[in-house]
C-alpha cells in the first residue's frame, strides 16, 4: 500500500542541485501543488544549500534533498530504499544528471567516464526504480538528452550542431536516446509515459556557463510540462524540445 496519497505527486530528479535540473525543481515548486520534489544530489550539503535558495512553494508542495550518486550502485540502492520507506512509490523519475567535459589523459578514459555517467548510470538508476514506478497511477520516466545526440541533426549542414565536435558527449546522448526508446517500448503496455528531453543550448555549469547559451529557465519548460502531465493518454515515446519535436 502506498504511503503517499494518490493526490500527491512524488518526483525524483537526479543531478538537481544545479543547472537545468535545479531549474526544473524551482519551476515545479513554484507552479505545482501537492508535489513531493526529491532533489537528487551526489553531495547532500550542496543539495541542501540549493534547496535553501528556493522561494516559497505552491500549495502543499515540499522540496527535499536525497543523496544520490548515480555512478554508485550502493548509493542508488540506498535512494530506492529511502523513497520506498517514505513514500511507497515514485510517480516521476527524471534522469537529468550528466557531464560534458572530463579531465582525462586519454580518449578511452574520456569516453568511459562520460558514457558511464550519462548513459550507463541512467539505465542503472531506471532499472532500480522501476518497481516503485510501477506503483504509480501513471508512471512517468524522462531522460535529459540533447540535440547533440540527434543523428539527424549531426548530418544536416544547416543544423546548429553540424560543426560541433563533442564525440564522447554526443555519443552518450545518442546512446541515451536508444535506451529511452527501448524503455518506451518495453513499458508501454504497463501505462508508463517515457520521453526524452532536448533542453536546447543553455548557459549552465555543464558547458562552463557559455555566454552564447540561452536562459536555463527556458530549458526546463518542456521537462516540467511532461512531469506534470498525469493523463493516461499523455505523450509517450518522443524526443521533444520546448519548440517541438527534435529529430532522432
Amino acid at each position: 500500500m502506498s504511503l503517499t496519497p494518490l493526490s500527491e505527486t512524488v518526483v525524483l530528479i537526479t543531478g538537481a542541485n544545479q543547472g537545468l535540473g535545479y531549474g526544473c525543481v524551482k519551476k515545479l515548486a513554484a507552479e505545482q501543488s501537492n508535489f513531493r520534489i526529491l532533489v537528487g544530489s551526489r553531495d547532500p550539503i550542496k543539495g541542501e544549500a540549493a534547496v535553501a535558495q528556493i522561494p516559497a512553494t505552491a500549495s502543499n508542495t515540499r522540496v527535499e534533498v536525497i543523496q544520490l550518486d548515480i555512478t554508485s550502485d550502493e548509493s542508488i540502492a540506498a535512494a530506492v530504499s529511502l523513497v520506498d520507506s517514505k513514500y511507497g512509490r515514485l510517480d516521476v523519475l527524471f534522469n537529468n544528471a550528466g557531464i560534458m567535459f572530463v579531465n582525462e589523459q586519454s580518449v578511452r578514459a574520456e569516453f568511459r567516464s562520460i558514457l558511464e555517467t550519462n548513459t550507463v548510470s541512467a539505465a542503472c538508476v531506471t532499472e532500480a526504480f522501476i518497481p516503485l514506478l510501477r506503483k504509480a497511477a501513471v508512471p512517468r520516466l524522462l531522460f535529459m538528452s540533447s540535440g547533440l545526440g540527434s543523428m539527424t541533426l549531426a548530418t544536416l549542414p544547416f543544423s546548429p550542431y553540424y560543426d560541433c565536435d563533442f564525440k564522447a558527449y554526443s555519443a552518450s546522448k545518442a546512446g541515451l536516446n536508444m535506451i529511452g526508446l527501448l524503455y518506451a517500448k518495453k513499458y508501454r503496455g504497463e501505462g508508463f509515459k517515457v520521453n526524452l528531453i532536448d533542453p536546447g543550448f543553455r548557459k549552465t555549469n555543464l558547458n562552463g556557463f557559455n555566454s552564447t547559451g540561452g536562459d536555463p529557465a527556458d530549458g526546463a519548460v518542456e521537462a516540467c510540462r511532461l512531469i506534470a502531465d498525469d493523463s493516461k493518454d499523455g505523450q509517450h515515446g518522443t524526443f521533444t524540445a520546448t519548440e517541438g519535436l527534435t529529430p532522432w
Side-chain angles (χ1 to χ4, degrees), residues 15-114:
N17 63 287
Q18 59 183 351
L20 292 173
Y22 187 52
C24 290
V25 172
K26 290 191 292 184
K27 184 174 177 62
L28 291 170
E31 298 177 354
Q32 301 299 328
S33 299
N34 299 317
F35 266 48
R36 303 292 173 263
I37 305 170
L38 310 181
V39 177
S41 179
R42 182 172 55 183
D43 183 339
I45 295 177
K46 291 181 179 179
E48 293 290 355
V51 169
Q53 300 301 312
I54 294 175
T57 61
S59 176
N60 199 33
T61 283
R62 296 200 304 267
V63 181
E64 63 182 86
V65 176
I66 180 169
Q67 197 281 329
L68 179 54
D69 178 353
I70 65 169
T71 65
S72 165
D73 290 337
E74 292 75 15
S75 179
I76 294 170
V80 170
S81 179
L82 179 61
V83 175
D84 187 20
S85 63
K86 191 165 185 178
Y87 295 105
R89 74 169 193 278
L90 184 62
D91 295 292
V92 185
L93 171 61
F94 184 14
N95 286 290
N96 163 77
I99 57 176
M100 189 170 189
F101 303 109
V102 291
N103 185 22
E104 298 288 359
Q105 299 302 309
S106 69
V107 171
R108 185 180 299 277
E110 177 191 6
F111 267 78
R112 180 179 290 129
S113 180
I114 292 177

Side-chain angles (χ1 to χ4, degrees), residues 88-158:
R89 74 169 193 278
L90 184 62
D91 295 292
V92 185
L93 171 61
F94 184 14
N95 286 290
N96 163 77
I99 57 176
M100 189 170 189
F101 303 109
V102 291
N103 185 22
E104 298 288 359
Q105 299 302 309
S106 69
V107 171
R108 185 180 299 277
E110 177 191 6
F111 267 78
R112 180 179 290 129
S113 180
I114 292 177
L115 268 75
E116 172 69 25
T117 300
N118 295 356
T119 315
V120 177
S121 294
C124 291
V125 171
T126 298
E127 287 293 323
F129 276 101
I130 286 293
L132 288 179
L133 285 165
R134 279 193 166 118
K135 297 180 181 181
V138 182
R140 278 93 83 194
L141 174 58
L142 281 75
F143 297 88
M144 182 68 90
S145 186
S146 167
L148 284 165
S150 166
M151 295 272 210
T152 300
L153 292 180
T155 66
L156 300 176
F158 58 81

